[in-house]
Amino acid sequence: EGLTVGRGHSLDTAMRYQQRIDAVNYAMENDDGARVNHYDPAQLILIGVSRCGKTPSCLYMAMQHGVFAANYPLTDEDLESGQIPKPLQAYRSKLYGLTIDPQRLTAIRNERRPNSRYANISKCEDEVRLALSLFERNGIDYVDSTHVSIEEIATKILVAKGLREHMR
């Protein structure tokens, strides 16, 4: 009783599904600082050094929770200035940082570019130290992604940014 054959999903389910699809498309279009002039729709912008987990975290939050998340890699220039990069300054309230253990970062980067300056341990240590300094100086909350699953990273960020309503 009460079941309608062929009815399928409710309108609410269809709307949530479409929200997740739109969020995934947004995350992919706004990956790695690709479209710095398109941050208005973002609910969240992850920042951190290259290879610390920004992209998978954004895609997970989009797919699982329908969150519009962009990400921006902190460059050597950004890190040396110690300031929030210009394209992000108007979106300070949307920023959330990711950090990582320099040893782990070196291992990840060595898989991508073996024996390069990019993967050098002292470069990784410097980048991580400067990123943490930038986060702390500018009051940007952050999470260490070294020993934490993408699901845990997402939960911490969504709770911290007041986006719990997306956690269904």
Side-chain angles (χ1 to χ4, degrees):
E1 287 290 307
L3 293 177
T4 306
V5 175
R7 182 158 176 236
H9 298 289
S10 70
L11 183 59
D12 184 52
T13 302
M15 287 171 54
R16 276 202 309 256
Y17 175 78
Q18 188 59 51
Q19 166 83 10
R20 291 196 321 265
I21 296 297
D22 293 344
V24 168
N25 288 331
Y26 181 83
M28 290 170 55
E29 291 165 2
N30 292 276
D31 183 40
D32 242 10
R35 291 175 38 178
V36 295
N37 60 339
H38 199 246
Y39 288 150
D40 285 342
Q43 294 169 283
L44 171 70
I45 304 167
L46 293 186
I47 63 172
V49 300
S50 174
R51 315 309 302 169
C52 69
K54 297 178 304 296
T55 298
S57 297
C58 284
L59 286 171
Y60 178 84
M61 287 186 280
M63 280 192 275
Q64 296 299 316
H65 303 290
V67 172
F68 278 60
N71 77 72
Y72 183 96
L74 294 171
T75 64
D76 289 341
E77 187 179 301
D78 297 328
L79 294 169
E80 286 163 17
S81 81
Q83 302 300 310
I84 294 173
K86 275 213 180 352
L88 303 177
Q89 288 176 359
Y91 303 100
R92 182 184 209 105
S93 66
K94 296 180 181 187
L95 300 181
Y96 202 92
L98 283 187
T99 188
I100 189 169
D101 176 77
Q103 296 281 342
R104 178 74 185 120
L105 183 60
T106 294
I108 292 168
R109 288 181 175 184
N110 259 312
E111 290 173 23
R112 189 172 180 135
R113 290 195 221 148
N115 305 312
S116 63
R117 174 167 148 58
Y118 173 73
N120 178 281
I121 183 64
S122 64
K123 174 156 178 52
C124 291
E125 288 170 345
D126 287 347
E127 285 185 28
V128 169
R129 179 179 44 77
L130 291 170
L132 283 170
S133 175
L134 185 149
F135 299 156
E136 288 170 2
R137 186 179 311 114
N138 292 283
I140 298 168
D141 289 336
Y142 61 91
V143 64
D144 185 331
S145 65
T146 309
H147 302 292
V148 185
S149 71
I150 295 295
E151 295 85 354
E152 290 172 285
I153 291 168
T155 299
K156 287 181 183 196
I157 293 169
L158 295 175
V159 168
K161 293 310 261 181
L163 295 168
R164 281 193 190 106
E165 74 273 10
H166 289 277
M167 297 170 59
R168 294 182 195 183

